[in-house]
């Protein structure tokens, strides 16, 4: 294949995406590969096997981040160009979130290696630990630790929703590594958009220039358990009703926001959780996001004020994650736009609504992202889907950006 029209092996990429998408199916057929679980191990092992098949060196660091490297003697002294994403999933996930970026990164490196090109710097594709944050908080934990945003010991001491410690779980699945990987010269992450914009506008490629701020909290409201039949409404300290009022307050506030605020209560539990007992306790999580830091802070303050005004209810708040909005490297964003146009694709600059490892890598290196459309804007849902042609287009744009940054 002439180098001018070098392209990825699309059959290999698509086949691997589907194969990885079958690893970690539960008894109901749902895709559940939570960080450091047995299912995650199975996915990790498969990625490592493919990386070794491509002749790459595989390293694992202390928080279980996997790095597959192509280093030649001529370039070994240079800082690597890093690609990557994550292969852990949410509960009942789609097959593209994270996995697409890791497998396309591997595909790009394998394609360049097979074309006998020698990059002027090492190329590495990373699969970061616990990007989703479903089992262990915060999310994007592996890349946050790699970027020095938390210490390795803090990460390993994270206690999961099942009470297990991340460090012990990584050791149990054989991914408690000890390797160090050099700080990258730049980081590019290819990912499905997970939102409706590209499909709605009929655009093939997103050149992601920024990413919104994220605030995760766990709220516990303590009321008084009492009889559902004998307790007059005016005498109740109902932790369930209090939770409902907080949720309504927050959703109405987010809907009224001018800055595109989004609010989600994704988990909630009542105690003692009985049909005829007024809830003594409600425990729920709040995921609050906003591209504007001042606006995000104002929503957090309004929520705190609302919680403090709850009568007859004791409130406790646990901070699970807090990341400010991130601006990506404008030079890389321009490269992505140029590469997309050079292949004849429509492209637009955009904000990422989702959190990504790229927002952590941006702390230590120039970073940017490439999006491809999500049909119906659906993600974190088994109906998540991106057409093969879009997946291939995104991977070839990544290939061209990598060549521009490291080959010519
Ligand atoms: O929560 C997020 O945005 C990402 O999927 N972890
Ligand atoms: Mn993701
Ligand atoms: Mn996700």
């Amino acid at each position: 294949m002439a180098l001018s029209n070098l392209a990825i092996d699309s059959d290999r990429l698509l086949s691997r995406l589907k194969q990885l998408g079958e690893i970690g199916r539960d008894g109901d057929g749902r895709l559940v590969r939570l960080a450091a679980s047995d299912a995650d191990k199975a996915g990790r092992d498969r990625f490592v096997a493919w990386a070794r098949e491509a002749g790459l060196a595989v390293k694992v660091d202390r928080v279980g981040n996997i790095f597959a490297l192509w280093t030649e003697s001529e370039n070994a002294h240079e800082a690597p160009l890093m690609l990557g994403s994550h292969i852990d999933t949410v509960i009942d996930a789609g097959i593209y979130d994270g996995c697409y970026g890791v497998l396309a990164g591997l595909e790009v490196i394998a394609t360049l290696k097979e074309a006998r090109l020698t990059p002027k710097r090492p190329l590495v594709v990373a699969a970061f630990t616990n990007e989703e944050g479903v089992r262990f908080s915060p999310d994007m934990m592996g890349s946050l630790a790699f970027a020095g945003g938390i210490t390795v010991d803090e990460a390993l001491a994270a206690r999961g929703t099942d009470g297990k410690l991340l460090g012990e779980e990584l050791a149990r699945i054989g991914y408690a590594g000890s390797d160090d990987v050099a700080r990258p010269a730049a980081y590019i992450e290819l990912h499905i958009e997970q939102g409706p914009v590209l499909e709605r506008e009929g655009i093939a490629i997103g050149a992601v220039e920024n990413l919104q701020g994220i605030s995760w909290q766990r709220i516990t409201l303590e009321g008084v358990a009492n009889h559902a039949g004998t307790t007059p409404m005016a005498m109740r300290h109902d932790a369930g009703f209090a939770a409902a009022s907080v949720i309504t307050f927050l959703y109405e506030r987010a809907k009224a926001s001018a800055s595109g605020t989004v609010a989600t209560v994704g988990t909630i539990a009542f105690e003692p959780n009985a049909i005829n007992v007024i809830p003594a306790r409600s425990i729920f999580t709040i995921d609050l996001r906003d591209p504007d830091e001042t606006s995000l802070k104002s929503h957090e303050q309004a929520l705190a004020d609302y919680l403090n005004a709850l009568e007859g209810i004791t409130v406790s708040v646990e901070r699970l994650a807090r990341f400010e909005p991130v601006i990506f490297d404008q030079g890389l964003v321009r490269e992505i736009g140029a590469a997309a146009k050079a292949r004849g694709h429509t492209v637009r600059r955009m904000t990422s609504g989702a959190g990504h490892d790229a927002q952590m890598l941006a702390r230590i290196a120039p970073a940017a992202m490439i999006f491809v459309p999500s049909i119906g804007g659906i993600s974190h849902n088994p109906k998540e889907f991106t057409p093969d042609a879009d997946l291939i287009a995104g991977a070839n744009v990544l290939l061209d950006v990598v060549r521009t940054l490291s080959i010519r």
Side-chain angles (χ1 to χ4, degrees):
M1 181 182 293
L3 286 188
S4 56
N5 53 15
L6 188 64
I8 57 128
D9 179 337
S10 44
D11 291 343
R12 181 168 58 186
L13 172 61
L14 297 174
S15 152
R16 286 177 170 175
L17 255 177
K18 290 184 179 60
Q19 288 178 62
L20 186 54
E22 285 312 306
I23 295 175
R25 296 271 168 191
D26 70 7
D28 299 323
R30 303 181 313 168
L31 181 56
V32 186
R33 276 204 315 266
L34 300 188
S37 62
D38 291 335
D40 186 28
K41 171 182 174 49
R44 286 165 170 264
D45 291 349
R46 181 64 66 88
F47 168 62
V48 166
W50 284 330
R52 291 200 166 117
E53 236 177 78
L56 306 187
V58 174
K59 293 189 172 186
V60 180
D61 72 8
R62 287 184 59 207
V63 292
N65 294 320
I66 303 170
F67 302 93
L69 300 101
W70 174 26
T71 307
E72 298 287 355
S73 52
E74 305 94 302
N75 65 26
H77 57 287
E78 294 289 343
L81 173 61
M82 187 177 283
L83 315 176
S85 194
H86 61 95
I87 59 172
D88 66 305
T89 75
V90 294
I91 298 167
D92 202 6
I95 69 167
Y96 304 97
D97 179 357
C99 301
Y100 171 52
V102 171
L103 295 178
L106 175 60
E107 181 54 42
V108 161
I109 295 174
T111 299
L112 292 170
K113 203 165 187 293
E114 287 157 3
R116 305 212 178 292
L117 291 167
T118 303
K120 60 190 175 194
R121 59 179 69 256
L123 300 184
V124 54
V125 55
F128 289 107
T129 294
N130 188 36
E131 190 278 345
E132 291 294 3
V134 169
R135 185 182 179 197
F136 302 95
S137 287
D139 56 349
M140 286 79 73
M141 188 194 277
S143 50
L144 180 63
F146 180 72
I150 52 169
T151 67
V152 166
D153 290 339
E154 282 170 321
L156 298 179
R159 191 172 292 281
T161 50
D162 54 1
K164 302 276 179 65
L165 294 176
L166 177 63
E168 291 174 1
E169 285 294 276
L170 286 172
R172 185 181 64 80
I173 67 167
Y175 281 90
S178 56
D179 296 325
D180 282 320
V181 171
R183 176 179 289 216
Y187 177 81
I188 312 275
E189 181 167 354
L190 174 61
H191 205 287
I192 54 170
E193 177 198 341
Q194 301 181 288
V197 172
L198 291 175
E199 184 197 32
R200 188 178 56 205
E201 297 183 7
I203 292 180
I205 299 290
V208 186
E209 55 185 355
N210 66 321
L211 187 149
Q212 65 181 344
I214 301 174
S215 165
W216 279 7
Q217 300 176 74
R218 180 179 290 118
I219 311 292
T220 301
L221 304 181
E222 301 273 354
V224 177
N226 212 327
H227 195 297
T230 59
T231 313
M233 295 308 281
M235 285 179 60
R236 295 180 178 216
H237 300 280
D238 184 338
F241 176 71
S245 65
V246 171
I247 294 169
T248 305
F249 166 77
L250 197 61
Y251 278 42
E252 294 308 331
R253 189 175 166 93
K255 283 192 284 191
S257 159
S259 62
T261 313
V262 286
T264 309
V265 173
T267 69
I268 190 164
F270 289 163
E271 291 175 0
N273 200 37
I275 187 168
N276 56 359
V277 178
I278 299 168
R281 191 172 300 103
S282 56
I283 306 109
F284 55 100
T285 54
I286 291 177
D287 178 323
L288 194 53
R289 307 195 193 198
D290 197 308
D292 178 302
E293 176 63 12
T294 308
S295 173
L296 184 54
K297 277 199 182 113
S298 77
H299 295 309
E300 287 178 315
Q301 188 54 54
L303 172 63
D305 296 344
Y306 189 91
L307 288 167
N308 291 335
L310 290 172
E311 291 184 6
I313 297 286
T314 309
V315 178
S316 52
V317 177
E318 183 188 356
R319 164 67 68 196
L320 297 177
R322 180 62 165 93
F323 302 123
E324 294 192 3
V326 167
I327 308 288
F328 287 132
D329 180 86
Q330 292 308 301
L332 291 178
V333 175
R334 275 194 300 275
E335 280 302 340
I336 292 165
K341 285 184 187 132
R343 283 206 179 246
H345 298 309
T346 49
V347 57
R348 62 157 283 173
R349 287 173 172 242
M350 61 195 298
T351 297
S352 174
H356 296 288
D357 294 308
Q359 73 188 91
M360 305 310 175
L361 272 290
R363 295 173 180 221
I364 57 171
M369 295 188 74
I370 305 169
F371 275 175
V372 293
S374 291
I375 299 306
I378 293 172
S379 185
H380 285 187
N381 178 318
K383 290 191 170 57
E384 179 182 281
F385 178 69
T386 298
D388 290 352
D390 291 333
L391 296 169
I392 296 163
N396 278 320
V397 167
L398 180 67
L399 173 71
D400 294 350
V401 172
V402 171
R403 288 184 66 183
T404 302
L405 295 176
S406 67
I407 301 287
R408 283 195 278 273

